[in-house]
Amino acid sequence: ARASLAGGDWEKCYKYISNLRMWNLMPHKEEVQARLQKQIQQSSLQIYLLIYGPQYCSIDVKQLCTMFSMTPAAINKVASRMMLRGELLGAWDQPSGCIVMHNEEVSRLQGTAMLFAEKVSQYVEMNERLLDLRNYYKTSDYQRNKEQKGGENRRSNYSNKKSYSWKGQMSRTSRY
């Protein structure tokens, strides 16, 4: 269903979904399937315009009507909403009933900015790897592994604090 929806074949997608066995268990299945069909048509139109729109100079609304079995008003609504959101770079040509596509090429400044952003992301990723490696060496698991191999002097659990008070006298607990 996904592949047919991405290719603009909404009928095949709807056929796959409507042939599921779960529809027999659903109450009011005809109403739900009618709404689902309308939603699949709109989604398929949106996906088609997003994927194949930049390849066209202009797209005829009549052709879209036949492809997606929708009214010109419904196609106008979907395409206008996409244009307002900035998803579709195009404009309506009312006399001819076409969507005129605007193909934007990346400027030199935008290309340089994109290269800079890629390099920054590479440096950030490299730093994160180094930080993870550094933290690994500081963890107790690494220290235990090193001690088991005998690579580090074992420290006793006793502290090196003196048993004398600050006045130089012995404390009550240290009698020996």
Side-chain angles (χ1 to χ4, degrees):
R2 177 195 53 83
S4 58
L5 187 66
D9 190 5
W10 71 270
E11 292 168 332
K12 197 173 185 181
C13 176
Y14 177 71
K15 183 180 174 185
Y16 284 135
I17 294 173
S18 65
N19 286 337
L20 295 174
R21 286 183 280 164
M22 63 128 194
W23 293 109
N24 297 330
L25 304 172
M26 186 175 271
H28 310 290
K29 86 174 193 181
E30 290 81 19
E31 296 171 8
V32 175
Q33 284 181 336
R35 279 188 267 149
L36 180 67
Q37 180 180 356
K38 188 180 286 188
Q39 185 64 40
I40 288 174
Q41 285 174 326
Q42 289 178 356
S43 297
S44 183
L45 174 63
Q46 287 177 337
I47 292 169
Y48 184 82
L49 289 175
L50 286 172
I51 293 174
Y52 299 110
Q55 297 176 2
Y56 289 102
C57 294
S58 66
I59 303 172
D60 190 19
V61 175
K62 293 175 188 173
Q63 181 184 1
L64 293 175
C65 288
T66 57
M67 283 178 66
F68 297 101
S69 301
M70 296 173 68
T71 64
I75 290 177
N76 190 351
K77 180 180 174 182
V78 171
S80 295
R81 184 176 48 213
M82 290 177 69
M83 287 178 204
L84 288 174
R85 288 183 189 160
E87 298 170 351
L88 183 65
L89 299 174
W92 283 104
D93 184 27
Q94 294 295 335
S96 64
C98 293
I99 302 172
V100 179
M101 303 303 294
H102 302 292
N103 295 329
E104 257 185 51
E105 293 185 21
V106 178
S107 69
R108 185 174 173 201
L109 177 64
Q110 289 173 332
T112 307
M114 288 170 40
L115 285 173
F116 180 72
E118 287 177 22
K119 290 212 182 228
V120 167
S121 68
Q122 289 173 355
Y123 285 127
V124 167
E125 186 177 326
M126 189 170 38
N127 261 351
E128 287 176 352
R129 286 183 187 167
L130 288 174
L131 188 62
D132 289 342
L133 188 63
R134 180 177 164 208
N135 288 338
Y136 170 74
Y137 285 115
K138 288 187 175 185
T139 60
S140 60
D141 291 337
Y142 177 76
Q143 294 297 332
R144 271 191 245 128
N145 289 340
K146 204 172 185 183
E147 285 177 6
Q148 287 174 356
K149 292 179 182 177
E152 182 177 292
N153 294 335
R154 295 183 184 202
R155 295 184 182 177
S156 63
N157 291 334
Y158 301 108
S159 63
N160 293 334
K161 294 182 183 177
K162 295 182 181 179
S163 59
Y164 298 103
S165 67
W166 63 276
K167 294 182 179 178
Q169 300 172 348
M170 290 185 83
S171 67
R172 293 183 189 177
T173 57
S174 60
R175 295 186 182 166
Y176 303 106

